[in-house]
Amino acid sequence: MKHILKLKFFVRNNWYTSGVVSLEQDNFLALDNLSKPLSELIRWSKFSKLNNSGFHVIYQYNEGQYSLTKGDGSKKYSYTCETAKSEAFRIIQDDRDFTYGTNYPDEESAPRGPKFYLYPTDTEILGSTSEVYLECAATGLTQPTYQWTVTREDGQTRPIVGPRYIVTNGRVSINNPQVALDGGSYQCSAKNEFGVVLTPPVVLSFADLGEFSNVDTAPIRPLEYQGTVIQCPKISSTSSLSISYNWIKDQTTPINSRLTPYLFISGDGQLYFSEVTRGDNGMYYCMATLTYPTDRDNYAGSFQSPSRISTGIPLQVQGAPSGILNVQIPDSFIQVFPRQPVVGVDVRLECFAYGSGPLVYQWFLPTLRDPGTRVRFTDSDRVLTIVGVTLQDAGVYTCVCSSRRSGTRDQKTFHLAIEAEPVFTVPLRDQHADRESELVWRCQAFGIPRPTYTWYRNGQLLSGDSDLIITGNTLTIPRLGEGQAGMYQCMASNSHGVVTSTAQLRVLLMI
């Protein structure tokens, strides 16, 4: 490949390749048909920063040689690739469309199977509501018809029927939704004469903050001038919404860390004291509140009882000689919320230290894109928030805390790892193939953790048999027959989500 480019292309353009940078092993190269990513064999360009954004691998010319670099796909380059002779037929098929072998003048008028353009989303009901709906929509010629199914706790999948359910053009409306009757996993299918396609399943659930235990908590008895923590009792929430925490002292005084900077409320609800005195004696109450998702529209209803308050926890500071406490960051910090960040969410990094104050916090970060607009420091600089985290934000973060009063300092480091929902980089393409020919169909998705694949034909899960071979993201049909025409879907999933790519297979009979 390198030799051919040198001989024939004097302009020395950059070229996209089929390679991608492995999202699980940084700076490794993943290629189709390789079970393990490449590393030592890669000739990375010395002019290319290996932390460049993007995972597309680009073949570029520099100082008389070709080498590899990364790119995010935003720039327009030509593609270079190679294929086995047994798959050369795919190049010919790429020139075919839905008008091939028909009398239709253009693709818009040619009949075709259904494809979704609107997918339902997980929906959670807050409090109560008179109605909730889930919606899907698909293109197709002729116009598809829709059906919804639900899978409940017993594992049985049933079509949605009954007087409380109304299905109109892909939207299913549920009147007076109830936990026992309507909670479960929902899936929409669209059908016309060419086949059936499915959406990924979505969950309809009901927010429940739960309750604190009513069992009294033993007193906390730290020595004066030492640091301590009061644990917020666990609450039995079953909601996917995040929980925010606040503390109240003696049922009358809210804890405000801006006014009392030696106090800190962590994202998991724990109340920390850098240094306690007898003035901190009292009864402390933890308050938990469901956080309303103002940036999301897939919630229905309204809060009825959004908060819960725990039983009182006594803090009884024991007398001790006055002294100066050296700075010490507990081993539990740096803490990150959410615990496993995913691309696109806001990430909160927390740092906290025991010690005689005032305490000063500093953060040392890896190189971030647009830090001025995406990085915020709050709560006496103990909290670092990254807005809309990206894969490139992964790296080592260091917190340093110091005290002029004690003349001491301490630091902790944390390696932030970012995961990602699957996204298709190579979606399925419609195939217009000759009968008796071989078809090799590939989809490719990337995510962290690495996605797994399932294949469907006309809404039915496929497994390898005598007529076809499935190997991960590759579906091979050695000998096409008319009965194998229809709608095919490749679904890629990891712990963060499911995505689907849909295409139609037409098996053509040459006369």
Side-chain angles (χ1 to χ4, degrees), residues 97-100 102-112 141:
D97 59 24
F98 281 98
T99 64
Y100 186 82
T102 74
N103 294 322
Y104 291 97
D106 53 60
E107 277 210 287
E108 292 185 2
S109 60
R112 68 190 65 203
L141 197 62

Side-chain angles (χ1 to χ4, degrees), residues 220-332:
I220 310 296
R221 295 190 175 97
L223 292 176
E224 194 171 13
Y225 309 114
Q226 300 295 309
T228 193
V229 58
I230 303 178
Q231 306 281 341
C232 181
K234 291 188 179 299
I235 191 167
S236 56
S237 173
T238 60
S239 174
S240 65
L241 299 175
S242 60
I243 299 175
S244 61
Y245 296 91
N246 290 287
W247 283 82
I248 301 172
K249 181 182 178 183
D250 296 329
Q251 295 186 327
T252 58
T253 307
I255 300 298
N256 188 333
S257 60
R258 288 177 299 200
L259 302 178
T260 52
Y262 69 96
L263 297 177
F264 177 65
I265 301 173
S266 175
D268 59 4
Q270 315 310 332
L271 175 61
Y272 290 88
F273 296 72
S274 294
E275 185 181 35
V276 294
T277 65
R278 292 187 215 188
D280 294 312
N281 283 333
M283 191 74 75
Y284 289 79
Y285 300 83
C286 181
M287 182 172 69
T289 305
L290 283 178
T291 303
Y292 193 87
T294 56
D295 60 336
R296 300 168 68 179
D297 58 3
N298 55 338
Y299 290 84
S302 60
F303 285 114
Q304 299 299 316
S305 300
S307 300
R308 300 286 187 270
I309 298 179
S310 71
T311 58
I313 305 171
L315 178 65
Q316 301 171 356
V317 179
Q318 307 300 299
S322 61
I324 296 178
L325 180 63
N326 290 340
V327 173
Q328 179 186 11
I329 300 176
D331 290 339
S332 57

Side-chain angles (χ1 to χ4, degrees), residues 148-207:
W148 282 85
T149 59
V150 58
T151 303
R152 298 202 171 92
E153 288 186 359
D154 59 6
Q156 298 294 317
T157 300
R158 306 176 181 87
I160 293 180
V161 293
R164 293 192 304 116
Y165 307 100
I166 301 173
V167 178
T168 307
N169 295 329
R171 172 185 285 206
V172 56
S173 301
I174 305 174
N175 293 317
N176 189 27
Q178 302 172 41
V179 177
L181 298 177
D182 303 307
S185 175
Y186 288 72
Q187 193 166 33
C188 174
S189 65
K191 177 182 180 180
N192 68 11
E193 66 267 32
F194 298 104
V196 180
V197 291
L198 303 172
T199 64
V202 296
V203 175
L204 176 63
S205 58
F206 294 75

